[in-house]
Amino acid sequence: MSEPVSGEAADAVDRWDRIFEILAAEPRRQIVDALLDAPAGESVPLPEVATNPSIDTDLERVRLRLRHHHLPLLERERIVEWEREPLRAYRGCNFEDAGLVLQSLYANAGALPDRLALGCRTLERERRGGDRGSELSG
């Protein structure tokens, strides 16, 4: 029989589940990725950074999904803060949670199979030995 999970351990498990939910959608990953490159306190323009340049995308449709789905989720988890006009995103107080997970993935880009790396500009850049800043704080 297994021992009951402590409240602290259950909170950590729940936090991991929420981080993976946050990173499960391409627009949210793209926003976190863009904010990794932005200096602390700076914003990134939306919907432009929320799209993958390798995929043809309707920006108005992305803008609508951002406002009504993706940004509220990111804001609820305090990963980002955002403004409506102009539509922009900033790092939230919990940004580091999602940012560190992506940075860990990027640091191991060479170990990923092509089927997971192709089409992701950051993973492709990392596999080519591209330079990305390692500081989350700017």
Side-chain angles (χ1 to χ4, degrees):
M1 283 187 80
S2 63
E3 296 181 28
V5 177
S6 73
E8 192 172 292
D11 289 345
V13 167
D14 185 52
R15 185 73 192 143
W16 274 107
D17 289 346
R18 290 192 317 267
I19 290 300
F20 283 113
E21 177 186 2
I22 287 163
L23 297 174
E26 177 77 2
R28 296 191 298 264
R29 284 192 305 276
Q30 292 292 335
I31 292 168
V32 172
D33 183 69
L35 286 167
L36 282 170
D37 288 335
E42 294 291 318
S43 66
V44 294
L46 299 169
E48 296 81 6
V49 303
T51 62
N52 184 329
S54 302
I55 301 170
D56 188 28
T57 307
D58 176 1
L59 289 181
E60 281 308 309
R61 183 170 177 220
V62 172
R63 181 186 307 273
L64 185 64
R65 292 285 296 155
L66 287 172
R67 286 184 177 200
H68 295 284
H69 179 67
H70 299 300
L71 290 168
L73 173 63
L74 289 165
E75 183 177 49
R76 183 180 71 235
E77 296 299 328
R78 303 175 76 182
I79 302 298
V80 303
E81 296 176 10
W82 60 287
E83 296 175 355
R84 291 187 178 274
E85 289 300 328
L87 191 56
R88 306 189 73 69
Y90 301 82
R91 293 179 185 185
C93 63
N94 291 336
F95 176 79
E96 187 175 72
D97 294 357
L100 286 171
V101 171
L102 277 189
Q103 282 186 319
S104 296
L105 179 65
Y106 298 156
N108 292 291
L112 295 173
D114 287 345
R115 68 181 179 277
L116 293 177
L118 296 177
C120 176
R121 67 178 177 238
T122 305
L123 287 172
E124 289 176 352
R125 181 179 65 220
E126 293 298 323
R127 292 175 101 190
R128 289 189 307 269
D131 187 29
R132 173 186 280 277
S134 61
E135 293 296 318
L136 280 177
S137 60

